[in-house]
Amino acid sequence: MSKINTPAATLREPAELIAHGFASATALSDLEHVAARYAVAVTPQMAALIDPTDAEDPIALQFIPSAEELVSGPGENADPIGDHAYSPVSGIVHRYPDRVLFKLVHVCAVYCRFCFRREMVGPGKATALSQDAYDKAIDYIREHSEIWEVILTGGDPLMLSPRRLTEVMADIAALDHVRIIRLHTRVPVADPSRVTREMIAALKVEGAATWVALHANHARELTHKARAACAGIIDAGIPMVSQSVLLRGVNDNAAALEALMRAFVESRIKPYYLHHGDLAPATAHLRTTLEHGQHLMRALRGRVSGICQPDYVLDIPGGHGKSPVGPGYLSPADSFSRGREPDAEKRYRILDYCGEVHLYPPKP
Ligand code: SF4
């Protein structure tokens, strides 16, 4: 892989991307239009992983803006998973009875070109909830004793300082009915140097169990430094799970997906979700079809152990929540073999990991 001119600081301007060889000079005008609408940030760690000579580099596709982001596709929506309809107070999304999203920070270490909250973390937006809105959000959680789990998301909660994160964790854990605090973050891969001893200490809190969900989409993101940052979190007694987005050109083949899931498990991170791409504005070029996603999940089942299997899920547009959309393996036998087997209608048809069909009897 050829690497040129790795930057010392996060790249935020199209001209900087061009100067470092990550985009063509002829694209400057288009990229400036994109950057005026959707935030751009490529950390030195992510920039160092990009091969600028590869037009299809899977890291570049995730972070380097493209002119395709000037074109919105059918069905795309500024609020693709319907957060707004379930937001009783600013910063809170209460879609499922026992848990809320708490979106208290609106900045990220990197900005993903497929981001489902790209309108929220974009240029000109507030960087965090105001103190008044924060207090109202905490009050809301306090008043709803059915809330068992608070999910800090964003933006990226690990962009807070350790001091502020300690305060936030303590405020939430002080609410007796909240037993779990989950943080969704890309920081351990995008900027592992932020995962300091102080940051890890801030994640631990009396009164609630902390879980961390790491967002990564390609095995190359799990660098030595990223794995060390995650090991520091896990060694502190905090379990980690993964979430990834199925992305065209990044991880939409069985080998890439297998390598990613193996990298998570080698890092002691349990694969949790593989999201089908949301209908975020101007992201059609990065999405695949649901059928292709199901095909990949079948392939993954044949290549790696159960511990490496994520749930393939789709957030239903309109705020109707997440549903598993992976392939089915079980169907009633009578739908395909009635008449050919004497009692086939009493059996199930089940596919094995090689795609072979077997019959299984129902409970008498
Ligand atoms: S880290 Fe998450 S919230 Fe931030 S840009 Fe990427 S997908 Fe969006």
Side-chain angles (χ1 to χ4, degrees), residues 39 63 107-118 120-121 153-156 184-187 215 217 243 245:
F63 303 117
V107 292
C108 302
V110 280
Y111 289 104
C112 311
R113 306 327 303 164
F114 51 87
C115 177
F116 67 125
R117 296 210 175 99
R118 61 190 332 204
M120 191 185 116
V121 297
T153 181
D156 195 317
H184 281 229
T185 181
R186 213 152 170 25
V187 160
H215 176 180
N217 303 311
Q243 59 168 352
V245 182

Side-chain angles (χ1 to χ4, degrees), residues 80-81 96 273-279 287 290 311-317 320-326:
I81 68 168
Y96 307 99
Y273 277 148
L274 175 67
H275 295 267
H276 189 75
D278 293 311
L279 295 171
R287 286 196 299 273
L290 282 161
D311 266 351
Y312 178 40
V313 293
L314 171 74
D315 265 292
I316 304 169
H320 304 289
K322 243 178 225 68
S323 281
V325 289

Side-chain angles (χ1 to χ4, degrees), residues 16 18 49 103 105 128 133 156 165-166 171 204 212 220 223 229 239 258 266 277 286 299 315 332 346 361-362:
E16 294 176 314
I18 291 166
L49 295 178
K103 302 188 284 188
V105 56
D156 195 317
L165 188 57
T166 301
D171 286 347
K204 298 198 70 162
V212 171
R220 264 172 34 205
T223 60
E258 173 186 345
E266 288 166 11
L286 290 170
D315 265 292
K346 295 182 188 157

